[in-house]
Amino acid sequence: MNDMTLTRTAREAIGVEQEGAVLHVRLNPVLGEDVLDVAALDALIALVDGLHERPDIRVLLLSSMGEDFCLGADRNEFQAALTADPTGGTLRRIADKAHRLCQALETTHAVTIARLHGRVVGAGLALAAYCDLRAGADTARFRMPEVGVGLPPAWGGAMGRLISEAGAARIREFMLTCEPFDAPTAHRLGLLHKVVPLDQLDRAVAAWTRPLVRRSPEALVLTKRMLNGYARADRTADVSLLDSHLLTAQLNQVRGS
């Protein structure tokens, strides 16, 4: 994007390290803030899209270098986008990037694993929800704060994914009340597949990655696509493509009031 000042380059936004067939991708907080800014979105989209040419990568492990996994989208960047472009076009492009990233995670051939610690908030939870497997420290805390700050929970088109993973009733509760919930609750909801003490989190993730890299790649890809197909069948009225417009309209309303 050249119509607003970015806080850092995409290259600085994530750390990437390959270990055999496993690609370790770590969010790199900007100025100590564990948020998903445009640079992080650009870096992650480029990386996940590039996996189409990397059949040797069997597992993508997503984690964070910060004290928290992710505190959500960069709302300051949203406001700066609206100031620079009051039509909302720039903001819609940011929101569309979030949607592209989530769809790329869902459809990539690699099995995606989220390693969660600290706070997992808003867009951070949405991002994790699009990973195939999710392991969290027992001290992790989760929250969907959007309604509390006057925004629709529209980031990445994740509402449908969250509902298909955890169920409409509980997602409705946490989206409307904005109440935080702990790792055991996330586990009961299905938002976490494993909960372990923080010092055992890497071991728990390795217990997944070791057998995954030995599996038939064709069987893994087909199974992942079948699972996503069945999950998407429950989202026949998915309106996630409209989410960038919903978000822009709401922010414009808040800014103009």
Side-chain angles (χ1 to χ4, degrees), residues 120-159:
V120 185
V121 177
L125 178 55
L127 185 68
Y130 273 95
C131 291
D132 299 310
L133 298 169
R134 299 173 290 273
D138 57 5
T139 53
R141 295 294 180 267
F142 302 80
R143 189 165 178 252
M144 305 177 198
E146 290 87 349
V147 171
V149 295
L151 297 176
W155 193 93
M159 184 183 289

Side-chain angles (χ1 to χ4, degrees), residues 6 19 26 35 68 70 77 86 96-97 129 160 179 203 252 256:
L6 298 181
E19 184 181 357
R26 300 177 177 89
V35 295
D68 301 290
C70 180
E77 207 167 56
D96 284 341
K97 287 175 187 284
E179 291 180 356
R203 187 184 309 168
N252 264 318

Side-chain angles (χ1 to χ4, degrees), residues 149-217:
V149 295
L151 297 176
W155 193 93
M159 184 183 289
R161 175 79 178 198
L162 287 164
I163 288 173
S164 67
E165 294 289 289
R170 298 309 303 274
I171 293 301
R172 182 183 298 118
E173 175 190 2
F174 289 118
M175 281 187 172
L176 292 177
T177 66
C178 307
E179 291 180 356
F181 54 100
D182 58 15
T185 300
H187 186 246
R188 288 194 298 273
L189 291 175
L191 293 175
L192 287 178
H193 298 99
K194 286 184 180 181
V195 177
V196 297
L198 180 59
D199 61 0
Q200 298 178 29
L201 190 52
D202 289 329
R203 187 184 309 168
V205 170
W208 279 333
T209 59
R210 283 194 299 267
L212 280 171
V213 298
R214 296 195 298 266
R215 303 284 187 251
S216 160

Side-chain angles (χ1 to χ4, degrees), residues 57-120:
I57 300 299
R58 307 280 295 282
V59 176
L60 186 154
L61 175 57
L62 181 64
S63 62
S64 174
M65 302 179 195
E67 293 184 8
D68 301 290
F69 174 73
C70 180
L71 298 180
D74 189 337
R75 291 198 295 269
N76 291 331
E77 207 167 56
F78 286 176
Q79 295 297 341
L82 275 178
T83 299
D85 180 8
T87 69
T90 299
L91 180 59
R92 279 193 293 275
R93 288 195 292 275
I94 296 175
D96 284 341
K97 287 175 187 284
H99 188 271
R100 284 173 52 202
L101 172 58
C102 290
Q103 295 305 304
L105 283 172
E106 189 173 39
T107 58
T108 183
H109 70 274
V111 175
T112 53
I113 299 175
R115 178 197 182 278
L116 306 176
H117 73 284
R119 289 172 290 176
V120 185

